[in-house]
Amino acid sequence: MPLSDAKTDDHPYWVRVVVDLPLQGPFDYRSDEEISVGTRVIVPFGRRKLVGMVVDCPQVPAHDPDQVRAIESVLRDVEPMEDSWLRFARFAADYYQRPLGEVILPALPQPLRRVSDYQGKRSGAGPVARLDKRRVAAAQPLEPGFAPALNQAQQAAVDAVGAATGFAPTLLFGVTGSGKTEVYLHAAQQVLAQGRNILMLVPEINLTPQFERALRARLEPATGPGGVAVMHSGLSDGERLRAWLRVRRGEARVVLGTRLAIFAPVVNVGLIVVDEEHDPSYKQQDGLRYSARDLAVWRARDLGVPVILGSATPSLESWVNAERGHYRRLDLTDRARDVEMPTVRLVDTRRLPMENGMSPQLLEAMRRRLDNNEQVLVYLNRRGYAPALHCASCGWVSQCPRCTAYTVLHRGQFGGHQLHCHHCGYQRRVPPACPDCGDQDLQPMGRGTQRIEEHLAELFPQARVARIDADTTRLKGSAQALFDRVHAHEIDILVGTQMVAKGHDFANLGLVGVLNADAMLFSQDFRAPERLFAQLMQVSGRAGRHTGHGEVIVQTGYPEQTVYQALARHDFAGFARHAMREREAASLPPYSHQALLTAESRELPEALAFLQQARASAEDVLQREGTHELVSLYDPVPFRIVRVAHVCRAQLLVEATQRSALHTLLRRWLADLNALPEARRVRWQLEVDPLEI
Ligand code: ADP
Ligand code: ZN
Ligand code: ZN
């Protein structure tokens, strides 16, 4: 039968469908009814059934029509996804080199992509109908919320964003406490008044309650009740589906969320905001390894709308974009509340008698602040009691049996101690004696937040001490409860990791003490100084936000380092200049573009052998393309922590002076990788624009 007759004979429609499988796809199916692009369908796949999405309706199938299977059912409980959303998904798939189905389906709420929610005993009319049937109590409207009059710099920023037409990327460079939130809120009000909607990203789940309250109080008068939807990974399936549907249906006009919200199906977008745009949490670290910040800029460009990237410590990528004139930079150079920036003191720990990791200067300053009824934050980016346990007589150190890493000593809830591996989750009780020499005197090595908390409670018996880190905030709502207690001044001394460093507007916090910052100073990763500077500047920015006279004490053995010197001057621009010179000289991002191929296997040589073969194959591609002068291939190397959970890991770095040369290589190269002889023995993945190397 000639292909052209296929359709006239029995009038089938052909649809091209993507599914969530690590296969390139899409796959062709037959349908008796017309289905528009963006519609979900249930299709047979091998012996399974899967939810997929129609991404194309070709005239003829790619294969013999007689072999093409029929779709099983069409899911019409949600409007087809918009073209602009599909375009966005296509871009992400192409840019990050993943099959389209692995972008589209994970971006939908679980129940919308689970066959069992549609077929089976209890599925009924499907998850959407089930949800719509429940009557859900509407959230109580909040008080409209007090809006301070904008200062000049804020007003100028709001005006500039409002005056922009079309795609207008803005880097809002505002010191900590400069009132960036007010700028977002006013810009959002303008956009809502034009009848358009807003997508706003924050880096941390813990920041969503604070922002949600502000957005609801200030924007719901314009959107009506329920006009703000929140999306983050802490929601249950049902909550996420409900929020997603309200967004898809245009009922929620403001979407606030963490990185995954960049895939929210917001309609009629008029503004995208990325707060703390430098934050590494915008990078997804598995599956589709996207940068929500970068995707936000792409989405804004595609939609022709303004995007605001806000930070006191912008990423060097965004900074360079501003320097080159690709982004417009708007500065807020002063704190909004008419208070000065905190003073930063560098305390040289090399010649000091330290008490449990704390200098006399820090303890003295803490005493003063506590006497003055102010709060103190002690920052240490290392959770647990101590980074390791060791035996003083023979040198034994607690090592994870599954990883090339130490196990971390933790104090258990009921007093006993355990050893935890932070890489693979392995746990054991503390051995009663040294496994090597039998000595019973095992000692903690170094300090984590638990040990500091314990010590501070002894030193300041009158003070109420609390700790905020990943361990104390595991339960849903527990982080918020702790932050609420800090805001209510039920806590005097707060010990915390980087969870407390970002975004929070503490009213009564006078002093920040930074312990052991040097750990990141000599890291192999070329981004470590940038990240360290941002962390320190952010945590410093928590001091004296409302009442002024803020003070920061940084304990370091290397006070002369640029990172610390620039920090003491609050000089981001100076730090950036220095860092950019180094990057330019070494031709590192943002002066080049990178991709990282990683391989995992039981034995390290297998992973390395695969990467060697991959390197040779990339060289072939470059020769063929004539682009070997634009792209460098590094030697495969093991990860710094080479083994995690018995799996060895190695990486191959690819670096290009031109983005297009990199992507051309990746496209050709990826197609060849699975055919390499060693490919069967490893798991590999590719990351575009890796943040950690
Ligand atoms: P950041 O720029 O660090 O995100 P915030 O948006 O948290 O700063 O604002 C810092 C503090 O300044 C908040 O307590 C906020 O309420 C207050 N604030 C912001 N704008 C003004 C203003 N124009 N007048 C007075 N206070 C303001
Ligand atoms: Zn021993
Ligand atoms: Zn481990």
Side-chain angles (χ1 to χ4, degrees), residues 42 52 80 171 176 200 243 285 436-437 451 504 536 547 594 610 621 664:
I42 295 180
L171 179 61
T176 53
M200 175 160 172
Q285 291 297 2
D436 281 2
C437 75
R451 194 170 181 191
H504 292 280
L536 294 181
T547 50
Q594 296 182 330
F610 167 77
V621 178
T664 310

Side-chain angles (χ1 to χ4, degrees), residues 71-125:
I71 60 156
E72 176 130 348
S73 53
V74 188
L75 304 176
R76 297 198 192 274
D77 50 357
V78 176
E79 285 279 292
M81 299 306 285
E82 290 193 316
D83 282 347
S84 64
W85 190 87
L86 289 165
R87 219 165 39 237
F88 178 57
R90 276 205 181 87
F91 168 78
D94 184 54
Y95 187 85
Y96 293 111
Q97 303 283 319
R98 299 285 288 204
L100 184 56
E102 285 194 317
V103 177
I104 285 186
L105 289 141
L108 305 177
Q110 270 281 352
L112 296 185
R113 53 184 152 105
R114 214 162 31 200
V115 174
S116 60
D117 277 72
Y118 289 91
Q119 300 184 343
K121 273 189 252 118
R122 272 180 306 225
S123 57

Side-chain angles (χ1 to χ4, degrees), residues 146-152 154 172 174-184 186 210-211 218 275-276 311-312 332 334-338 503-507 538 541-542 545-546:
F146 169 72
L150 294 184
N151 61 35
Q152 243 179 11
Q154 287 172 317
L172 182 63
V175 299
T176 53
S178 58
K180 294 184 282 294
T181 317
E182 281 301 322
V183 175
Y184 308 147
H186 279 79
Q210 166 185 328
F211 271 95
R218 297 281 291 284
D275 189 32
E276 313 287 5
S311 180
L332 306 177
D334 298 306
R335 282 191 156 175
R337 282 178 182 261
D338 207 19
H504 292 280
D505 189 37
F506 301 120
Q538 295 291 340
R542 300 314 110 198
R545 289 168 77 87
H546 286 216

Side-chain angles (χ1 to χ4, degrees), residues 390-397 433-442:
H390 87 131
C391 168
S393 16
C394 79
W396 173 87
V397 183
C434 173
D436 281 2
C437 75
D439 195 316
Q440 295 191 349
D441 188 22
L442 296 176

Side-chain angles (χ1 to χ4, degrees), residues 125-277:
V128 176
R130 273 202 307 278
L131 195 78
D132 282 342
K133 251 196 331 235
R134 266 189 266 161
R135 285 276 267 300
V136 180
Q140 290 296 313
L142 293 184
E143 290 290 309
F146 169 72
L150 294 184
N151 61 35
Q152 243 179 11
Q154 287 172 317
Q155 188 63 55
V158 172
D159 291 346
V161 174
T165 49
F167 172 58
T170 296
L171 179 61
L172 182 63
F173 174 50
V175 299
T176 53
S178 58
K180 294 184 282 294
T181 317
E182 281 301 322
V183 175
Y184 308 147
L185 287 170
H186 279 79
Q189 276 164 340
Q190 289 177 346
V191 170
L192 289 174
Q194 296 158 6
R196 308 183 74 183
N197 302 337
I198 290 139
L199 174 56
M200 175 160 172
L201 303 183
V202 291
E204 279 260 339
I205 284 192
N206 300 312
L207 288 170
T208 54
Q210 166 185 328
F211 271 95
E212 184 186 1
R213 260 189 308 245
L215 292 181
R216 287 191 50 211
R218 297 281 291 284
L219 303 182
E220 280 192 2
T223 63
V228 176
V230 177
M231 288 185 171
H232 55 67
S233 58
L235 301 183
S236 68
D237 279 359
E239 288 168 327
R240 173 135 183 250
L241 176 59
R242 179 171 295 123
W244 191 93
L245 285 172
R246 277 168 46 218
V247 172
R248 178 69 195 92
R249 292 164 174 169
E251 293 160 14
R253 298 186 51 201
V254 179
V255 178
L256 167 69
T258 51
R259 62 173 177 262
L260 58 84
I262 191 58
F263 290 101
V266 195
V267 293
N268 196 14
V269 178
L271 171 68
I272 303 180
V273 175
V274 184
D275 189 32
E276 313 287 5
E277 66 90 29

Side-chain angles (χ1 to χ4, degrees), residues 596-615:
L596 193 67
L597 181 66
T598 58
E600 302 180 343
S601 62
R602 279 280 165 179
E603 307 296 335
L604 182 62
E606 293 171 356
L608 288 171
F610 167 77
L611 293 176
Q612 281 299 358
Q613 291 171 357
R615 191 175 186 280

